[in-house]
Each structure stands twice: as C-alpha cells, then as structure tokens.
Amino acid sequence: MALAADVKQALEVFLGMIDEDPGSLRHSVETREPWWDRIRAWQRSQPLRYEGSQQQIKPQSVIRELHRLTKGDAIITTDVGQHQMWVAQFYPFTKTRQLITSGGLGAMGFGLPAAIGAQLACPNELVVAVVGDGGFQMTNQELATAVQYELPVKIVVMNNGYLGMVRQWQEMFYDRTYSEVDISVAPDFVKLAEAYGAAGFRAERPEELPHALAAALSHKGVAVIDVAVSKEENVFPIVPAGANARDMIVQ
C-alpha cells in the first residue's frame, strides 16, 4: 500500500488509531503466531549450513567465532557484500540497534565510519566493524579519525582478494566471466593499521583465527584483524535476479 502524506501527520494518525483501539495491536501480534511457527519449521528443516575446512578459514566460521568471543554482546557494523550476509546469518542478534548496516542501499565503505559513530555514541560498548577487503579500501583512511579521537573500534577484514558478491554473481550467472572483481593487489592491512597508529593482527589458517581475534578484541585501542578467508566461498540461499522466492538456490 502506497501512502503519499506528510510523515509527521501520518504517524500522528497511526498513533491515534492505536490509542483508540490498543487491542488491535495485540490482535495483530497474535495473528502472526502461525506465520512465525511456519518460519521456525522452515528453519528446522533447512538450517543454515556450510562446509568446514582444516586448510582454509571459512568466512562463516569467522562470524561464529566472533559471536563466541563477544558472547553476542557487541555492536556490529558492516560494509556491503558477502560478509554483510554472513553477519546477518551467523551472528545471532538479541538487542535492538545491535546491527548497523546500510542494508539495500549498498554503501561500500560504510562499515568503518559507522563503527566510529557507534563507538562515539556508546563509549562503553565493544564495537566491531566487519568489512570486506574491497569496501575497507574506500574508507580505511578513517583509521586516523578513530586513533585521533581514541575510539577503540575493532575492524575485522574478510580478505578474499575479490569483490566477493559481484564475483559470486559472475560465477553463478555469467559462467565465471570475471570482470573487474580481482583485487588481489591490495595493501598489507596489518602494516596499514600500524602506519595509522593502530594495532594489526592477521590470521591465515583456521588454527590462528581464535587467537588473532581474541588478541584484537582485547586490545585497548583501535585494532585491525586481517583474516585471509577462502577465496571463492558463496553466500546461500540466493534468489537469481528477476526470479521468485520459489526459485531460491539453497546450496
């Protein structure tokens, strides 16, 4: 339903409707219970899953380890791309305003500045920016801002040497006709962090991940964790462009 109205006046009308009939809101919540039951059934029959590896760091495992170490209590910001989807899937959020992301706006480079803003607003909270190696290079100069104003954000760089989401679409729907997605020529993110006066950490193998993440999260100041993840991991489920939800590819 499309509404063309002054937003202030429209909200006042909506609030008035609730005040007149507060039971309608409760009824609305109750009538959604069967729908939630159906969703939970789908989640049980088709749980999110991925194949582990002892040779490569899987990006999904990075998010799960981040959740374990932070006990699910951190404010998470994201850039745009595959890592954004994996955060939504594998970091269970339990509080409002705990995930800050640009959503469908697709603002690459959003993660670090958003983390700085969140840390400024919530100085006693742990704030972690999960970014891709592509998006991070668009705003990584803001490390200077974080260091200068002593905003101890942590930045987890999911480094696969690609613009991951674009690469996935080119793989799945354009017969691996890769175009302008290889960004293997990139800075050494640990040295870059140190150049700005932040701490740098790196994980290249699965056994290195827990220690590197824990060390970075416990660091008192700004920290960058460069995580070398498997290069051609894909996000599932995915709906092809122009298709219906029933055409979803689940694995």
Side-chain angles (χ1 to χ4, degrees), residues 209-231:
L209 178 64
H211 173 74
L213 272 179
L217 293 174
S218 62
H219 180 70
K220 297 300 182 182
V222 181
V224 174
I225 313 99
D226 182 12
V227 184
V229 297
S230 50
K231 294 180 69 66

Side-chain angles (χ1 to χ4, degrees), residues 57-66 156 158 209 227 229:
I57 299 176
K58 289 301 185 85
Q60 301 94 327
S61 67
V62 177
I63 305 304
R64 294 186 68 173
E65 184 65 15
L66 179 63
V156 178
M158 301 277 246
L209 178 64
V227 184
V229 297

Side-chain angles (χ1 to χ4, degrees), residues 73-245:
D73 200 38
I75 295 174
I76 306 294
T77 72
T78 78
D79 258 4
V80 169
Q82 290 178 312
H83 67 274
Q84 181 185 29
M85 307 297 107
W86 285 316
V87 165
Q89 291 177 330
F90 293 99
Y91 195 106
F93 294 97
T94 58
K95 298 183 295 186
T96 59
R97 301 184 180 185
Q98 195 180 356
L99 170 63
I100 302 175
T101 182
S102 66
L105 293 176
M108 289 185 67
F110 178 84
L112 175 54
I116 290 172
Q119 190 73 83
L120 188 64
C122 305
N124 298 320
E125 299 287 339
L126 173 62
V127 179
V128 182
V130 180
V131 301
D133 47 325
F136 184 48
Q137 292 187 69
M138 296 187 174
T139 54
N140 57 26
Q141 68 273 13
E142 296 302 333
L143 285 170
T145 304
V147 172
Q148 179 176 350
Y149 292 99
E150 298 181 347
L151 299 169
V153 296
K154 318 305 178 194
I155 303 98
V156 178
V157 183
M158 301 277 246
N159 190 348
N160 60 9
Y162 278 116
L163 296 177
M165 184 59 80
V166 183
R167 183 212 57 77
Q168 176 174 341
W169 278 76
Q170 290 178 354
E171 173 193 336
M172 296 183 66
F173 307 116
Y174 295 93
D175 298 323
R176 290 182 181 268
T177 306
Y178 291 165
S179 176
E180 309 307 324
V181 292
D182 185 342
I183 53 171
S184 53
V185 177
D188 181 321
F189 292 121
V190 170
K191 290 182 179 179
L192 181 70
E194 293 171 346
Y196 278 107
F201 302 85
R202 178 176 287 115
E204 296 178 310
R205 295 185 56 79
E207 61 269 20
E208 297 171 348
L209 178 64
H211 173 74
L213 272 179
L217 293 174
S218 62
H219 180 70
K220 297 300 182 182
V222 181
V224 174
I225 313 99
D226 182 12
V227 184
V229 297
S230 50
K231 294 180 69 66
E232 294 193 344
E233 191 75 14
N234 289 334
V235 173
F236 293 102
I238 183 171
V239 178
N244 295 302

